[in-house]
Amino acid sequence: MGVDEEKSDVEGKVWSLCRMPFWQTSSSNGNGSSSSSSSSSSMGNHNVYQQSQSSQLGERSTVTPSNSVSSIAKSLLPTRRRLKLDPSNKLYFPYEPGKQVRSAIGIKNTSKSHVAFKFQTTAPKSCYMRPPGGILAPGESLIATVFKFVEPPENNEKPTEQKSRVKFKIMSLKVKGEMDYVPELFDEQKEQVAVEQILRVVFLDPEHPCPMLEKLKRQLAEAEAALEASKKPPEDTGPRIVGEGLVIDEWKERRERYLARQQVEGVDSA
């Protein structure tokens, strides 16, 4: 009996020792799995956050370059012209030292809206324009006259070698419909003002005819004719208005004269 009890005690201890590692391993495995699951979930959340951040950065990186590229592209594109100039980039003057000479340039509105234009020069004391500015309707054109005093040559320079530092600039501005021209329009809407062209001065020898000199003479003659026509009062082709709302046309005047003559003749015969 004593031996059996000892054996049973020894077997119980061995059995308990054999069972302990399994419980410990299972508990340790459970803790490990829970820790690994928590760590994996935290890593997953971190990866999701990184992906969201990277996607946001990607969106920002895609938006910002496109805006910058579009602004750069707009700056590189040539400005759309509203006016057509003739000559396009030069002002031809006859070379007559010590005298005031004239040049001419044709200006036409090629846009679909009313356009205001304005002249500027680097020598306002010795140069002026007529008109200095104005408003053109769509398709309307005019010839502007430019006056300039020619300085005497230095060091006996020839006319072909004479150079002028004077430059002219024509600016344009889109306006809403017909209105009176005032130079302040260009100061009030500086952002909408476009530089149409910077004109360089070129001298022509008046003693040697050339196509440009002949064209200049024609343009000056047309500008003078237009100026004289603008000075004439408009012809009255409609009925005349006398007093307040009393309209007398030619037929009524004749009828009244006829009736007056009839009355005079009737009195004389009586």
Side-chain angles (χ1 to χ4, degrees), residues 200-229:
R200 186 169 57 90
V201 173
V202 177
F203 289 111
L204 300 175
D205 188 356
E207 297 181 357
H208 294 80
C210 64
M212 295 310 304
L213 186 60
E214 296 299 325
K215 181 178 179 180
L216 174 60
K217 292 179 180 179
R218 291 195 303 269
Q219 285 183 320
L220 290 173
E222 292 179 11
E224 289 295 329
L227 180 62
E228 292 297 328

Side-chain angles (χ1 to χ4, degrees), residues 28-247:
S28 62
N29 289 334
N31 294 333
S33 61
S34 61
S35 63
S36 62
S37 62
S38 62
S39 64
S40 62
S41 62
S42 63
M43 290 179 64
N45 294 333
H46 183 66
N47 292 332
V48 171
Y49 176 75
Q50 286 184 344
Q51 290 177 358
S52 63
Q53 291 293 327
S54 62
S55 63
Q56 291 178 359
L57 290 174
E59 291 177 356
R60 292 178 183 176
S61 62
T62 55
V63 171
T64 304
S66 63
N67 293 334
S68 60
V69 168
S70 61
S71 61
I72 294 174
K74 289 181 180 179
S75 63
L76 293 176
L77 290 175
T79 305
R80 185 176 180 181
R81 304 296 181 187
R82 304 185 181 107
L83 303 175
K84 181 181 180 181
L85 307 178
D86 184 24
S88 59
N89 58 358
K90 297 176 182 178
L91 281 176
Y92 294 95
F93 290 90
Y95 184 71
E96 299 179 8
K99 296 182 180 180
Q100 188 182 65
V101 294
R102 297 180 303 165
S103 181
I105 182 170
I107 305 174
K108 182 178 181 180
N109 181 7
T110 57
S111 68
K112 297 181 181 180
S113 60
H114 285 70
V115 173
F117 70 92
K118 180 182 178 181
F119 273 100
Q120 280 188 346
T121 178
T122 57
K125 294 183 179 180
S126 60
C127 303
Y128 68 95
M129 290 68 67
R130 187 178 67 196
I135 296 178
L136 296 175
E140 186 180 1
S141 62
L142 60 80
I143 297 178
T145 306
V146 185
F147 298 83
K148 174 179 169 48
F149 179 78
V150 181
E151 298 289 341
E154 297 179 0
N155 301 325
N156 296 324
E157 290 180 334
K158 296 180 181 180
T160 55
E161 298 175 355
Q162 179 71 10
K163 297 180 181 180
S164 176
R165 297 180 181 178
V166 179
K167 293 182 181 179
F168 296 85
K169 180 168 64 175
I170 298 182
M171 300 180 296
S172 67
L173 174 65
K174 181 181 178 181
V175 296
K176 296 180 180 179
E178 297 181 0
M179 62 176 64
D180 295 332
Y181 169 78
V182 288
E184 288 75 16
L185 287 173
F186 289 83
D187 297 331
E188 297 172 355
Q189 306 180 34
K190 292 182 179 180
E191 297 179 354
Q192 304 298 327
V193 175
V195 177
E196 291 289 333
Q197 191 60 259
I198 296 178
L199 305 172
R200 186 169 57 90
V201 173
V202 177
F203 289 111
L204 300 175
D205 188 356
E207 297 181 357
H208 294 80
C210 64
M212 295 310 304
L213 186 60
E214 296 299 325
K215 181 178 179 180
L216 174 60
K217 292 179 180 179
R218 291 195 303 269
Q219 285 183 320
L220 290 173
E222 292 179 11
E224 289 295 329
L227 180 62
E228 292 297 328
S230 64
K231 292 180 180 180
K232 294 181 179 180
E235 297 181 358
D236 189 8
T237 57
R240 291 183 299 152
I241 300 177
V242 180
E244 295 182 0
L246 180 60
V247 179

Side-chain angles (χ1 to χ4, degrees), residues 1-19:
M1 294 293 292
V3 174
D4 294 335
E5 291 178 355
E6 290 179 358
K7 287 182 179 181
S8 62
D9 293 337
V10 171
E11 290 177 355
K13 291 180 180 180
V14 171
W15 178 251
S16 63
L17 290 173
C18 292
R19 290 177 61 186

